[in-house]
Structure formats: C-alpha cells, structure tokens
Amino acid sequence: MYQTVGHHAIDLYADAMDLPLYRCFIKGTSINTGRVYTTCQEDEVEDLYHLLKLVKDKEAVEGVSVGAILSDYQRVRVEDVCRRLNLQPLAYLWRRKEEILLKEMISSNIEAIIIKVAAFGLDPDKHLGKTLDQMEPYLLEVSEKYGVHICGEGGEYETFTLDCPLFKKKIVVDSSKVVMHSADAFAPVAYLHFLKMHLESKEKSSDTFMVNSCSCEVSCNNDDILPSSELDEPQNISPVIWKALKHDSLDFSKTFGSSGKSVTGYQWFSCITAQFHPSKDKNAQEAAREAFSSLQATITSEGLKLKDIILVHLYMKSMKDFNVINSVYVTEFDLCPPARVCVETLLPDGVLFCIDCLAHSCDIATDDVLSEEKLVMHVQSISHWAPASIGPYSQSIKVGDILYCAGQIGLVPCTMKLVSGGVWTEAAVALSHVEKVLQAMSQKTTLRHVITAICYVTDSKHIPVAHSIWKKKLRDCTKVEDPEAYNEVAAECGMLAVVVVTNLPRDAAIEWHVTAVVDDPLHRKHFAKKILLEGFQIDCESVKSSSASCASVSVRLSLTVPPASQLDLDGPLHDLVSMFGQAVEKLSEDFNASPLSFRAFFKKDVFDIGVLQSGLQENLEKCLGKKTPALILVPVVDLPGKEVIHTTCWLS
C-alpha cells in the first residue's frame, strides 16, 4: 500500500511547500487484500485512517488526493477511508493515458528523479538519479519493447520530486549511494539512498502550472453527425378511442411481479412501488422505507439478498423527491451497490417511485453451469476520467462476460457539472462516459459490444439527436477496429430504444443506459420480423451474444393510419406478445433462453396503464407459461415516429 523508498526525506517536502507535516508509524500489515476493502483493525489501511482523521480534525481539510493511475487496490482503500471520514477523494490521474500524462508532468516544470528501478530494461547504474525529462525517450522505448508502464504504475520505478510549482524552495541532493536489493541479471532491483540533501531558495520566476485544455472537455462537431431518418421524428397521433377490452384494469401499484430464475442464477423483480398521498399521514421517507421493506421481503423469499442485486431501474414521479428517496436508498445498499438508472416519468398519481431490479445469485450451480463472480466498478474519486459515483450506485457490474452499466448523463468529470453546449454536446459527452466505463471494465470493449441500449431524452426534438450520435459513435468504433467496414454501421452492435421522459438527474437533456457483452459482435445471431395489421404495424428484432450468454429482444407497436373509428387493442397486444414468443422460440433453438424482463415503454396519452398491464400480463402468461418474464410498464411522453409501445426484453 505504501512506498517507503526515500521516506526519510519527506520532511523536506513540508519545508519546501511551507506546509505542516503529519506522520505516523505503520503498525498494520496488508491483511484485507480483496477487491473490496472492509475495515480490519490490523490492516495497514487503518493507519492511514487514523492519520487522516487527525489531519481532518486539526486542519479542517475536505479532500484527499490520490495519485493512482490504474491501481484499483490503492484507489479503493483511499476511497474507503475517505468515505468513513466524509472526505472527497480526488484522483485526477485516474486512467489517464500515461504517455500524455508524463509529457504533462514534464511540461508543468515537475523535476522528479528516479530513485528505484525494478523492471526489465531499467539499469541501476544508468538510470537511478536521472530526471523524468531525461528518461522520457527511453521510457517510451522500453514501454514499446517490453510493456513497461511509462509512468511506473506497475512498480517498474519510483520517483522523488526535487522541484515543482508548488515548492517555495527546491530540494538539492548533495550525495547519495546506490543500494542493490536484488542483483537479478535481467531485472535488477535497486534504489537510491540519499546521504545528504538541502533546500535552496528559488529565484523569482513565472513558475506557474501549465494548464492545458482539460481532458474532460469533449465537443461535438455537428458536421460529423449522420443525418437522422424522418422515421425518427415523433409524429402527432390523433386521440385513440379503444373498443372495450376483455381485460379488467389492474391497480398498477399492486402488481408486483418477478421472472423465474435462470439456470445461471438471474432473476428479475418488477413493480416495487412506493405509494404516497401527501394529504395522508405517511411522509415520502416512510413510503420509501415501506417499498424497500417489500423488496427485501420478496428478495429474501427467493433465497436472495439485497447485495445480490446488480442493476436497478428507478422511475420517479418527481425529481424533487430524489434526495428523500436517495436518503433511504443509501441505507439499503452500502459497499458495492448495484448499477442504477434514474429518471422521472409519468407515473400514476399516488405513486412516489417504481423500482425494478435484476438480481444474480453467486452460489447457483444448476445443470453443471456454475455462475461466475461479479466484478464491481465503483469509482468515488473525482477525476478527468468519467463522473464519480458520488451516490449509492456503481458505474458498472460485470458478471461472466456481461457488463451491466449505470445510466450516464453529460457531466464534466472534474467539476461534476453538466457540460455546456446543448443537447448535441451532452449526448456526445454522456456516450463517451459509457465508452470509458466499458473500456475500464474490459480493455478492448467498445460500443460495438453493446447488446441493448436505452436513451432517455426530455424533449421529442432530441430523438433524432440520440439516433445520430449513436450511429456516429458506432461508425467511429468501426473505423478504428475495422476500417474496411467503416461505411457500414453494423446492426450487430445492439438495439437502441429512445424514449421521451419528463425529467432527468441534474436537469440533463439526455441519459444513456447500456448493457454490453464481451464477445465477438460480428458473430452474433439475429432475428427480425415485421407484420402489418389493420391500423397497426409490429416490428420485432432480436440479437443473441456470440457467447450465447444472453440475448435481447425489441418489439415495437406503431399506428400506421390515423384512427378513423374505435380500434381493437386485444388483437395487437396478442400479436405483439406472440411475436415476442416467436423470437424467444427462435433464440431457444441452440440457447436455453430464460426471458427475464419485458419492459414496455408506452405513450401515456394513448393507453390506460391498468388495462395495458392486464392485457400484456394475460397474453404473456398464455404465450410463455412458466417462462413468463417480469412485466415492467413505463409510461412516457413520446416515442419515435408513430410508435405507441416499444418493448425491450432481456433473456439469460
């Protein structure tokens, strides 16, 4: 956890910057070495906790800077300490490109010398004591030849800073000696032991930080955007009068459901609602607690725990209630919280929020299929990389080869404020965050690995923007990975649903939510079908990962002609579900497909939510029987073109 070479000269740092120095003895050892750190009194991390607590109490500091570039081990432990002390972790070097970072350090007048080497290609006699400026060309060379981390992130070398813009005085090394730790013939380990050092006053100079344009800044060049189809444009639909349906209307707030459990341990839970009427005695916080108690009881009855939940969709009646709901949410999910999507939409009166969630049991072993451990990315540090998870959610959770991501909006990572420049820029920035999260979870993963995507926008005019940015980003990925296929935006990159809701976190205009698979997108299997009915059109698409670990189905119901008279909804609902059943059957030919969720976005002004829920639920049960997925109804403001229902379905 700690670098000790050169530690006896640390007091010179305090003198050089004219700042107080706090030190303590390291009493603990590295005991809790897992991916997730939990408090362990004998661990060396607790020494850092007690020292930072003292510093906070004495100096009233608010944040802690950590120099990790790639080390989750270090970042996770500093973030845990900061969380307990209510300090903000800052990791501005996190996941920066090392060759660019090294150049920035040098150009910012940081004079640092190498004081330890421990890698193939680094020679104690030649390289100890050299500055980073002197070493830069050679470090680039050995990185290319042997894979050495240019900034020494793998422990290849350590440095000691003699001067930088923060120093009021500079440090001078008068004498030192080389100490050989391991005389390995190929990768000797040696360090520089300082014998005598002193401080020198610096000449008055324009020693300032070289602030280049922030790496967070992403602009969107409209000239580079693909034109959207006229079909993307929402179209006004005359009021629809439905014939009396055979189904009784269900009470939306009392229609909790769940899917069956897949052979790999997945199960989806839907329609956990918090009922709240301001005129009654119960307040919003109590309503939220009741909803989570209901979720807890249901999860437990299935042999699961809240920590098994990996993805949550949180649909809210009003963003004004977000802080109240979040205050309860955070008490339910502590370490390694699930990825989360949060939007405001047109929920029925009396419903504060509605949750659906995907859970995965890590100890399921059925039919010789052993489920795999989940990997969690929960970066809480503010950086230039992607927005910090400052709330109770993770950026992404990986189970097997599937990446479940949180929703992303266009925040500037280093300020956590919404990017300026309008919806085009927001869309591009937010989608670039998605890309960075995917790459951080699995190095070669790009948007081409997305198997299903939902884009939430707050204005119907933004639907074409979402489609255009999505196509552009996919083309950019294709151009890098397969230049010959640049002119073809491959369908195998996953299906996109764009829906209009009333509001998004931070008043964002657009939010992206994706699920990706680390597979070969070019070898995914597809199914597509279209049928025309009297007054309606149904389009169905499905895509199955080449690894056969999961699949996604999209079914869209559109009005094809202006309704001249009453329309019968029973037929279209039956045909919509029937087509979904055909897609499931097709996918099941060489894949034991378990439909887990059937998420139906529908235009609020076209349907009665209770009647629609009743009709879809009855048809799903008739069509799929025991394989009936969890039904999730999401009332929205608008959908592309003449769509009135757009369903996205997940299969495991």
Side-chain angles (χ1 to χ4, degrees):
M1 180 66 185
Y2 307 114
Q3 170 58 33
T4 57
V5 174
H7 76 276
H8 55 283
I10 292 295
D11 56 331
L12 292 174
Y13 279 169
D15 294 337
M17 290 187 285
D18 192 24
L19 290 172
L21 175 66
Y22 289 82
R23 307 178 80 175
C24 74
F25 287 103
I26 301 170
K27 299 174 184 177
T29 56
S30 53
I31 295 172
N32 187 342
T33 58
R35 290 191 187 95
V36 179
Y37 179 80
T38 51
T39 306
C40 176
Q41 289 307 317
E42 292 77 30
D43 197 285
E44 60 184 357
V45 173
E46 298 311 304
D47 297 316
L48 177 63
Y49 171 82
H50 293 299
L51 184 59
L52 280 178
K53 187 177 186 305
L54 174 65
V55 173
K56 183 184 178 184
D57 293 343
K58 294 282 188 181
E59 305 292 340
V61 297
E62 297 176 2
V64 174
S65 182
V66 56
I69 302 172
L70 291 171
S71 172
D72 280 305
Y73 186 90
Q74 183 187 91
R75 176 188 56 76
V76 163
R77 280 150 182 77
V78 174
E79 286 180 349
D80 178 80
V81 169
C82 288
R83 179 182 59 82
R84 287 187 276 158
L85 292 173
N86 197 27
L87 294 168
Q88 175 59 58
L90 308 169
Y92 290 116
L93 309 187
W94 181 247
R95 302 201 75 87
R96 293 288 309 279
K97 289 185 178 179
E98 292 187 53
E99 60 270 29
I100 296 173
L101 189 56
L102 183 62
K103 285 184 184 295
E104 285 185 9
M105 292 178 191
I106 294 166
S107 66
S108 297
N109 297 321
I110 294 174
E111 184 186 351
I113 59 171
I114 289 181
I115 59 168
K116 181 182 178 181
V117 292
F120 191 74
L122 294 179
D123 186 331
D125 295 327
K126 292 180 181 178
H127 302 134
L128 285 176
K130 290 281 185 71
T131 65
L132 289 179
D133 190 15
Q134 294 169 324
M135 287 293 293
E136 183 190 13
Y138 186 70
L139 289 172
L140 292 170
E141 182 184 327
V142 292
S143 173
E144 183 70 26
K145 281 185 178 178
Y146 311 123
V148 170
H149 286 81
I150 295 169
C151 289
E153 184 67 357
E156 293 90 342
Y157 67 88
E158 304 293 345
T159 61
F160 189 88
T161 300
L162 300 178
D163 193 14
C164 73
L166 281 176
F167 285 9
K168 295 180 179 178
K169 296 179 179 179
K170 64 181 180 180
I171 300 170
V172 178
V173 179
D174 298 307
S175 61
S176 61
K177 68 175 182 179
V178 174
V179 177
M180 189 64 71
H181 183 267
S182 171
D184 185 272
F186 298 101
V189 179
Y191 63 90
L192 208 59
H193 179 68
F194 299 128
L195 299 173
K196 188 178 179 184
M197 309 173 80
H198 73 275
L199 289 171
E200 277 186 10
S201 296
K202 294 168 69 172
E203 294 180 13
K204 293 284 182 182
S205 66
S206 57
D207 215 12
T208 56
F209 291 107
M210 298 285 289
V211 180
N212 300 317
S213 61
C214 173
S215 60
C216 296
E217 292 176 7
V218 178
S219 61
C220 180
N221 181 359
N222 286 10
D223 296 337
D224 215 14
I225 300 297
L226 292 176
S228 61
S229 164
E230 288 184 10
L231 296 176
D232 294 340
E233 301 280 356
Q235 297 177 29
N236 291 328
I237 296 173
S238 304
V240 181
I241 302 172
W242 301 109
K243 290 180 183 177
L245 296 179
K246 301 171 186 174
H247 318 283
D248 294 327
S249 178
L250 294 176
D251 183 344
F252 175 77
S253 64
K254 297 177 181 176
T255 50
F256 175 86
S258 69
S259 69
K261 194 173 288 184
S262 74
V263 293
T264 45
Y266 286 102
Q267 190 166 9
W268 213 296
F269 299 87
S270 65
C271 209
I272 301 103
T273 58
Q275 298 176 60
F276 174 59
H277 297 275
S279 58
K280 296 186 178 179
D281 295 336
K282 183 168 59 178
N283 62 34
Q285 200 166 49
E286 289 168 340
R289 286 199 189 98
E290 283 184 13
F292 280 106
S293 294
S294 173
L295 173 61
Q296 172 80 70
T298 306
I299 288 278
T300 303
S301 71
E302 294 289 343
L304 296 163
K305 299 176 182 176
L306 285 180
K307 69 179 182 65
D308 294 322
I309 296 174
I310 56 178
L311 176 64
V312 170
H313 289 80
L314 173 58
Y315 296 112
M316 301 175 56
K317 178 76 170 174
S318 172
M319 277 291 170
K320 293 177 182 176
D321 298 314
F322 178 79
N323 289 336
V324 172
I325 295 169
N326 214 39
S327 68
V328 178
Y329 190 103
V330 72
T331 63
E332 304 294 336
F333 301 105
D334 186 16
L335 292 174
C336 300
R340 185 175 77 181
V341 189
C342 177
V343 303
E344 174 192 299
T345 195
L346 300 166
L347 296 179
D349 291 339
V351 176
L352 182 68
F353 66 81
C354 183
I355 278 179
D356 67 85
C357 57
L358 175 63
H360 176 259
S361 176
C362 294
D363 54 3
I364 289 285
T366 311
D367 296 337
D368 298 324
V369 178
L370 182 64
S371 66
E372 294 166 279
E373 181 187 9
K374 70 178 181 182
L375 302 177
V376 179
M377 171 157 286
H378 184 211
V379 180
Q380 300 161 73
S381 302
I382 290 177
S383 69
H384 294 296
W385 167 66
S389 288
I390 53 176
Y393 63 92
S394 297
Q395 281 99 343
S396 182
I397 291 182
K398 183 174 184 280
V399 181
D401 64 353
I402 308 172
L403 300 172
Y404 302 93
C405 296
Q408 288 286 354
I409 59 175
L411 295 177
V412 179
C414 64
T415 64
M416 294 299 288
K417 293 181 180 178
L418 205 62
V419 68
S420 58
V423 65
W424 287 97
T425 306
E426 274 191 54
V429 169
L431 201 50
S432 73
H433 296 334
V434 172
E435 289 182 287
K436 289 175 183 176
V437 170
L438 292 176
Q439 289 165 3
M441 290 297 286
S442 185
Q443 191 173 3
K444 294 183 179 180
T445 309
T446 69
L447 289 178
R448 292 184 71 192
H449 292 85
V450 171
I451 198 163
T452 184
I454 300 171
C455 183
Y456 298 93
V457 295
T458 55
D459 192 310
S460 301
K461 295 175 184 176
H462 300 160
I463 293 176
V465 176
H467 280 118
S468 295
I469 291 285
W470 177 251
K471 289 175 184 175
K472 177 193 181 306
K473 286 283 189 178
L474 288 179
R475 280 169 60 95
D476 290 347
C477 291
T478 307
K479 187 176 182 180
V480 171
E481 297 171 36
D482 186 3
E484 293 181 6
Y486 175 57
N487 292 320
E488 299 176 13
V489 178
E492 59 269 7
C493 296
M495 296 168 294
L496 173 67
V498 184
V499 301
V500 183
V501 294
T502 49
N503 201 0
L504 293 170
R506 307 284 187 97
D507 289 323
I510 193 165
E511 177 174 354
W512 297 95
H513 174 235
V514 310
T515 302
V517 187
V518 187
D519 67 344
D520 182 355
L522 293 174
H523 289 90
R524 291 176 176 174
K525 290 189 177 179
H526 301 269
F527 168 81
K529 189 175 180 180
K530 178 190 294 186
I531 61 170
L532 291 171
L533 307 168
E534 187 179 350
F536 296 98
Q537 176 176 310
I538 300 176
D539 296 88
C540 179
E541 293 177 77
S542 71
V543 57
K544 181 177 70 175
S545 68
S546 60
S547 60
S549 60
C550 62
S552 177
V553 179
S554 166
V555 190
R556 305 187 302 278
L557 176 67
S558 304
L559 286 175
T560 54
V561 293
S565 59
Q566 290 186 338
L567 291 175
D568 183 358
L569 185 58
D570 282 318
L573 288 188
H574 171 272
D575 291 338
L576 184 148
V577 172
S578 176
M579 193 172 283
F580 171 63
Q582 290 174 41
V584 172
E585 190 176 337
K586 188 77 175 172
L587 289 165
S588 299
E589 288 176 358
D590 56 352
F591 166 59
N592 189 4
S594 297
L596 297 181
S597 67
F598 189 93
R599 186 180 312 278
F601 298 103
F602 68 95
K603 291 187 69 168
K604 173 76 177 336
D605 61 355
V606 175
F607 299 99
D608 173 85
I609 189 169
V611 171
L612 185 61
Q613 181 138 9
S614 174
L616 284 172
Q617 187 68 43
E618 182 177 312
N619 279 290
L620 283 168
E621 289 174 1
K622 282 181 181 177
C623 180
L624 293 162
K626 292 182 179 179
K627 280 194 168 186
T628 299
L631 175 60
I632 304 149
L633 284 190
V634 187
V636 296
V637 177
D638 210 351
L639 292 167
K642 294 182 179 180
E643 291 177 23
V644 289
I645 299 177
H646 189 137
T647 69
T648 62
C649 316
W650 183 251
L651 296 88
S652 170

